[in-house]
Amino acid sequence: MKMDHSLPLEYSTEENKLKILGFWIFLGAEIMLFATLFATYFTLVGRTAGGPTGAGIFEITPVLIETLLLLTSSFTVGLGIHAMRLGRKKAMIGFFITTLLLGLAFIGVEIYEFVHYVHVGAGLQTSAFTSILLTTLGTHGIHVTIGLFWGLFIVLQVWKRGLTPQTANKSFIFSLYWHFLDIIWIFIFSFIYLKGMM
Amino acid sequence: MDFFERFAVPHPSFAIYASMVAIGLTVVAVLAGLTYFKKWGYLWREWLTTVDHKRIGIMYLISALLMLFRGGVDAIMMRAQLSAPDLKLLDAQHYNEIFTTHGIVMILFMAMPFIMFFMNFVIPLQIGARDVAFPRLNALSFWLFFMGAMLFNISFIIGGSPDAGWTSYFPLAGNEFSTSVGTNYYMIAIQIAGIGTLMTGINFITTILKMRAPGMTLLKMPMFTWSAFIANVIIVFAFPVLAVLLAMGTLDRQFGTNFFTMDNGGMDMLWANIFWVWGHPEVYILILPAFGLYSEIISTFARRNLYGYKSMVGSMVLISLLSFLVWAHHFFTMGQGALTNSIFSITTMAIAVPTGVKIFNWLLTLRKGKIVITTPMLYSLLFIPLFTLGGVTGVMLAMSAADYQYHNTMFLVAHFHNVIIPGVVFAMLAGLTYYWPKMFGFMLNERIGKWTAWLLSIGFILSFMPMYITGLDGQARRMFTYSESTGFGPLNMVSFIGAGIMAIGFVLIVYNIYYSTRYASRNISNDPWDARTLEWATHTPVPEYNFAITPQVNSIEAFWDMKKKGHVIFKGEYEKIHMPNNSGIPFIMSCIFFVWGFSFVFSLWIPVIVTTIGIFVCMALRSFENDHGRYISVEEIEETETRLRGA
Ligand code: HEM
Ligand SMILES: [Cu+2]
């Protein structure tokens, strides 16, 4: 395996570079996916069919908690990558586990939020608005959940195999994914929740 | 018994029962044959687990040809039903099912894999690479496509075909009007295949951006690689839209959401809009690689370089941008208002400009060329006038006011077949003939090939030109019959005859393959067409590592300049070559996807959950696996090279 030592570990082999570029392109596709959901959301947001509206069901507290959790986790995953670049395996694993725990807490609050919606009569089937609302939030939530498992596997690999070009590459790509989900959340927060509550 | 009733076909007929028996027998025969000839091991090692782009390409080709015949049978049945007024070969329901499956099969399961075949087989060779960027992902893409296609194809014998058209507009496609599981198949099968296509897009963009031979700058890439690159960019932007659309369709049909429903705030036109936001770019995903193939073939057989290389690239970039801005031209009649319609009319007509630029470039390439009429060239020469006609009728359709007359008539059907058959299908057949010797080491018979090209063209003209006329006279598309008094009878009979001639053409292709396999000379050079690009610079058959020495390029037509101007493109010594290992995971994971899809179609939630877990287990296994590939040693390379040079 040819290695280029002037570059960070995650970029050090040809294969690693390919994977990072490929993942950026994948994120491009993900942007289209969420863009389609957002476009549909804006089309259907007013079509509540006499059922609950955003202003009627959104609660600021859980949403703020979720935002805080996810933003912090994006920060900690960044710290994790920083530690990785310094070659500090333990610190990196620590930051990654913190990230995953924050993500888990996010999912916990989101589940609470969903239960609340169903409780106040805003289920998946209630109206076009609730359908797209829950689908958009759910798609993001599923992404986070998948990220939790993925991150866990990566932590295990780093723990067992140490910081190799492969594990560093995977960790870095995971961090890209995690930041991306955070950015999507910021859009959800601003354009779905804040706009909806106004 | 209740449990099994759901698998029954809701609207059976003798033909469907006969197909069930035929399919059952074929499956048994194939399985028995494999066992008898002890080919299971071979199949598994050499094909099911392969990650070699050339073999994956060939599997795409086989699938595409199979689907061509499945879609073709649908087509013949439709033309037969319409060949005279008031026929009763098919009833309305069967006719609906057949035009639906015909459209999907031809576009997504014939044309798409055919293009994937060319991309897989040609691009790594054309850019001087050893493989694609992610060989294993490539295998997964193929197998997902394949399983999606198979799932779609079994619909008509298990549970019922989709019947709401390839566009599957709601509310028609909703539960109220499409009661069988057919439309579930549509949603799920296309979803699975679509994920595969999206991954192909990512894979090839990365490959083309990062794995080109040293010296091959972007503006020195061969035209087919350029066209495929742009098509893949469109794939990455368009296919996620389709994924979301299908997911929403599934939710509406199986989970009671209200995206496209008529009450509770749903919006049926939302489906049509999102569908075409994907659908129009999709037609350009099909045509751009076809344009790329024509460019290669025309410059090869005009024996000169392609005229206007940069304007070719520029026009394709422009087409790809515009293709996302025209979707509403598919429903001018749905009441968006004059302003919206006018805007979309203009963007649509604008696409004709870069397309026209390309046509002129081909003509100008021919003008000073020394034209050699081989089969691939014959297809290309037939393509230029026939496709132009289709483009012109496209511009007619683009005029929103006039479209009220044409929309959803046979005129529209004639338009898109007029661009897709001479445009895409001819390119596929031309390319197939062109690359056949590189794949299999012998040429297809030229005489039979030319006969085929002429039969297909004449058949095409006879079968689709009459539709322009009956369409203008008001014959609607997707109607299973018409009365005698409409006067459409004779022209529809002409169409039927044309379709029959085309069918003969397609059968001749199979005959040609058979005939050439038996009789064609195996003694051909690595470059039988005297071509111009790198894929012809390596041996035939292509060794698994493609090039023993990575080529170094400094011109657009690297291989031509090597032959004619003495450029040296292979410099240096052999070095050991790194290759990826085969893997069974893509195939197994896709099989699980198949079961997942099947269970989902029938809302069997327990198997859905089990298989979902299975899919994630496969991904986890892949994540933990430590596979660094293998090396081909210098001795091995020397041995292979001497053997291949031997002849
Ligand atoms: C000059 C370029 C083109 C123009 C201006 C054009 C214009 C149009 C318009 C306006 C329609 C909608 C008509 C209606 O529904 O009433 C249409 C339909 C269609 N076009 Fe084109 N087109 C062009 C090229 C192509 C190409 C290159 C392809 C495919 C390779 C293609 C495939 C289709 C298909 C599949 C449909 C109809 C689908 C359906 O409703 O089932 N077109 N075209
Ligand atoms: Cu279009």
Side-chain angles (χ1 to χ4, degrees):
Chain A
M1 188 85 43
K2 272 195 217 112
M3 272 181 67
D4 181 345
H5 294 286
S6 64
L7 292 169
L9 207 51
E10 69 270 19
Y11 279 101
S12 60
T13 69
E14 207 44 54
E15 201 179 326
N16 279 4
K17 285 184 211 160
L18 290 179
K19 285 193 174 149
I20 292 173
L21 176 67
F23 200 77
W24 276 108
I25 300 169
F26 171 73
L27 290 183
E30 288 272 55
I31 290 176
M32 282 310 290
L33 187 136
F34 280 102
T36 313
L37 286 170
F38 278 116
T40 310
Y41 180 82
F42 295 133
T43 313
L44 298 179
V45 64
R47 304 175 75 101
T48 52
T53 62
I57 56 172
F58 293 155
E59 285 187 319
I60 191 75
T61 326
V63 174
L64 276 181
I65 297 175
E66 282 165 323
T67 310
L68 205 67
L69 288 169
L70 210 60
L71 288 183
T72 318
S73 78
S74 199
F75 181 59
T76 54
V77 84
L79 291 176
I81 294 301
H82 189 65
M84 182 181 90
R85 291 231 170 121
L86 298 176
R88 294 175 54 184
K89 177 177 148 186
K90 281 221 182 94
M92 179 220 160
I93 293 183
F95 282 126
F96 264 61
I97 291 179
T98 319
T99 307
L100 296 180
L101 289 176
L102 289 167
L104 192 66
F106 169 87
I107 291 293
V109 183
E110 187 156 60
I111 291 175
Y112 161 81
E113 192 195 331
F114 271 43
V115 173
H116 164 76
Y117 291 151
V118 175
H119 205 73
V120 297
L124 194 60
Q125 309 181 338
T126 313
S127 67
F129 163 67
T130 60
S131 296
I132 185 62
L133 173 70
L134 296 182
T135 305
T136 310
L137 297 179
T139 308
H140 178 267
I142 290 172
H143 274 77
V144 175
T145 313
I146 292 176
L148 291 180
F149 283 100
W150 184 17
L152 181 68
F153 295 157
I154 286 173
V155 169
L156 289 175
Q157 288 173 33
V158 174
W159 186 46
K160 275 205 296 208
R161 294 177 197 160
L163 290 174
T164 65
Q166 285 75 34
T167 54
N169 184 248
K170 288 183 189 183
S171 313
F172 181 73
I173 289 176
F174 172 75
S175 79
L176 291 180
Y177 179 74
W178 201 262
H179 290 311
F180 168 78
L181 293 182
D182 200 35
I183 294 169
I184 294 296
W185 180 260
I186 292 173
F187 276 90
I188 292 180
F189 179 73
S190 327
F191 294 110
I192 294 186
Y193 290 116
L194 286 188
K195 201 162 167 281
M197 279 185 273
M198 276 191 311
Chain B
M1 238 11 245
D2 268 359
F3 177 79
F4 289 102
E5 260 163 36
R6 73 182 79 199
F7 299 120
V9 180
H11 195 76
S13 72
F14 175 73
I16 291 181
Y17 288 130
S19 319
M20 281 183 195
V21 175
I23 291 174
L25 289 179
T26 318
V27 171
V28 172
V30 169
L31 295 183
L34 283 169
T35 315
Y36 183 78
F37 293 105
K38 300 204 173 54
K39 287 290 184 198
W40 283 105
Y42 165 79
L43 190 67
W44 177 259
R45 277 189 313 274
E46 305 288 326
W47 296 97
L48 302 186
T49 60
T50 188
V51 292
D52 181 335
H53 70 97
K54 301 178 284 296
R55 294 192 173 219
I56 292 175
I58 290 174
M59 293 195 288
Y60 271 118
L61 172 64
I62 295 170
S63 322
L65 288 176
L66 281 176
M67 290 297 111
L68 177 67
F69 282 89
R70 151 85 214 246
V73 170
D74 285 346
I76 291 287
M77 287 198 282
M78 284 189 285
R79 278 335 309 173
Q81 163 64 22
L82 290 183
S83 60
D86 297 316
L87 280 187
K88 296 211 168 48
L89 299 173
L90 300 168
D91 58 27
Q93 175 61 22
H94 278 141
Y95 192 81
N96 293 348
E97 294 174 6
I98 287 171
F99 71 66
T100 303
T101 53
H102 168 76
I104 286 293
V105 165
M106 284 303 203
I107 289 187
L108 287 169
F109 301 140
M110 186 285 284
M112 285 298 272
F114 226 131
I115 284 161
M116 300 293 175
F117 150 63
F118 286 112
M119 296 200 310
N120 268 282
F121 189 81
V122 178
I123 286 181
L125 294 174
Q126 207 165 48
I127 63 174
R130 294 257 147 78
D131 205 323
V132 293
F134 311 115
R136 226 190 255 201
L137 188 70
N138 197 24
L140 184 61
S141 291
F142 169 74
W143 287 111
L144 284 179
F145 146 74
F146 183 79
M147 295 300 168
M150 289 303 116
L151 188 62
F152 189 86
N153 272 281
I154 60 167
S155 63
F156 85 109
I157 53 165
I158 307 178
S161 278
D163 55 2
W166 83 282
T167 48
S168 211
Y169 280 2
F170 280 74
L172 178 60
N175 283 331
E176 195 186 337
F177 301 109
S178 293
T179 47
S180 83
V181 294
T183 305
N184 296 355
Y185 270 111
Y186 174 100
M187 303 288 167
I188 304 288
I190 299 178
Q191 185 73 277
I192 295 175
I195 296 170
T197 306
L198 178 59
M199 293 190 306
T200 305
I202 295 171
N203 209 339
F204 277 89
I205 295 180
T206 316
T207 308
I208 296 173
L209 284 180
K210 285 276 187 184
M211 296 177 69
R212 297 190 310 277
M216 186 183 281
T217 56
L218 283 179
L219 284 179
K220 289 202 178 82
M221 290 198 311
M223 197 48 65
F224 176 67
T225 300
W226 254 115
S227 68
F229 177 69
I230 294 172
N232 281 306
V233 173
I234 307 182
I235 286 179
V236 169
F237 281 102
F239 270 73
V241 178
L242 176 70
V244 172
L245 178 75
L246 294 170
M248 292 195 295
T250 307
L251 286 169
D252 259 17
R253 285 183 55 86
Q254 292 181 272
F255 298 89
T257 53
N258 290 296
F259 293 107
F260 313 119
T261 50
M262 300 300 282
D263 40 20
N264 296 324
M267 191 195 252
D268 49 356
M269 275 310 287
L270 186 64
W271 173 277
N273 274 279
I274 306 180
F275 182 89
W276 287 113
V277 169
W278 162 77
H280 189 87
E282 165 64 20
V283 304
Y284 282 92
I285 295 168
L286 299 178
I287 200 72
L288 289 180
F291 285 172
L293 285 169
Y294 286 128
S295 301
E296 300 290 346
I297 291 170
I298 288 175
S299 84
T300 298
F301 296 110
R303 299 276 178 252
R304 58 156 296 184
N305 62 329
L306 190 65
Y307 185 92
Y309 178 95
K310 282 190 186 153
S311 63
M312 281 297 203
V313 174
S315 56
M316 285 195 292
V317 173
L318 201 60
I319 288 176
S320 71
L321 295 175
L322 285 173
S323 74
F324 282 94
L325 301 174
V326 299
W327 76 88
H329 69 209
H330 291 278
F331 40 83
F332 281 140
T333 55
M334 294 304 281
Q336 319 39 238
L339 181 64
T340 313
N341 273 359
S342 309
I343 292 170
F344 280 96
S345 274
I346 291 168
T347 52
T348 306
M349 288 185 229
I351 289 201
V353 177
T355 316
V357 169
K358 297 187 74 75
I359 302 266
F360 281 109
N361 281 338
W362 288 313
L363 291 176
L364 290 168
T365 308
L366 290 171
R367 198 174 80 100
K368 288 218 177 129
K370 292 194 243 353
I371 299 173
V372 190
I373 299 194
T374 56
T375 308
M377 188 61 164
L378 182 59
Y379 277 116
S380 312
L381 294 177
L382 287 164
F383 147 78
I384 295 176
L386 291 176
F387 179 85
T388 306
L389 188 61
V392 170
T393 56
V395 176
M396 289 173 71
L397 288 161
M399 298 180 224
S400 51
D403 189 55
Y404 279 73
Q405 176 69 22
Y406 317 133
H407 182 56
N408 275 355
T409 65
M410 291 315 248
F411 187 89
L412 166 71
V413 175
H415 155 68
F416 69 76
H417 285 88
N418 199 165
V419 279
I420 290 179
I421 293 175
V424 184
V425 177
F426 280 16
M428 299 299 105
L429 301 175
L432 181 66
T433 320
Y434 187 60
Y435 284 111
W436 190 273
K438 198 77 251 157
M439 282 189 289
F440 300 115
F442 60 90
M443 324 248 306
L444 289 175
N445 185 285
E446 280 286 294
R447 229 167 76 89
I448 307 177
K450 285 179 188 164
W451 266 96
T452 313
W454 281 114
L455 280 175
L456 288 179
S457 301
I458 292 165
F460 163 76
I461 290 169
L462 286 179
S463 90
F464 291 96
M465 295 305 132
M467 292 186 205
Y468 280 125
I469 302 168
T470 59
L472 286 178
D473 281 348
Q475 189 187 0
R477 75 189 287 201
R478 293 177 176 169
M479 292 296 289
F480 84 109
T481 191
Y482 50 88
S483 68
E484 175 122 45
S485 58
T486 57
F488 300 148
L491 284 173
N492 277 280
M493 180 51 86
V494 176
S495 276
F496 176 58
I497 295 169
I501 295 177
M502 290 189 78
I504 298 172
F506 286 117
V507 171
L508 263 190
I509 293 173
V510 179
Y511 176 70
N512 196 352
I513 293 175
Y514 161 79
Y515 180 89
S516 310
T517 312
R518 275 197 76 167
Y519 301 110
S521 155
R522 292 326 195 246
N523 195 4
I524 58 165
S525 79
N526 295 332
D527 175 27
W529 304 113
D530 196 11
R532 315 174 80 84
T533 37
L534 279 182
E535 68 270 32
W536 304 98
T538 183
H539 302 288
T540 299
V542 186
E544 65 164 327
Y545 48 76
N546 293 354
F547 298 93
I549 295 172
T550 305
Q552 299 197 11
V553 175
N554 53 18
S555 60
I556 295 176
E557 300 185 312
F559 181 52
W560 184 256
D561 294 341
M562 172 182 130
K563 287 190 291 190
K564 302 290 143 137
K565 297 189 196 153
H567 288 193
V568 183
I569 57 177
F570 297 108
K571 293 178 216 159
E573 300 285 303
Y574 296 148
E575 279 173 44
K576 62 179 180 171
I577 296 174
H578 183 245
M579 297 298 288
N581 283 327
N582 282 4
S583 166
I585 292 183
F587 176 71
I588 293 171
M589 190 167 149
S590 305
C591 288
I592 303 178
F593 251 107
F594 181 88
V595 181
W596 176 85
F598 184 81
S599 318
F600 211 117
V601 166
F602 289 94
S603 309
L604 303 169
W605 301 122
I606 292 167
V608 167
I609 293 167
V610 174
T611 46
T612 308
I613 295 171
I615 291 167
F616 282 106
V617 168
C618 285
M619 300 212 275
L621 283 177
R622 167 73 178 122
S623 170
F624 280 103
E625 195 181 20
N626 222 343
D627 178 0
H628 297 300
R630 68 201 154 84
Y631 281 96
I632 303 181
S633 67
V634 174
E635 295 79 63
E636 238 178 294
I637 300 171
E638 269 165 2
E639 198 184 310
T640 318
E641 290 293 304
T642 343
R643 180 166 50 79
L644 290 175
R645 222 178 287 125

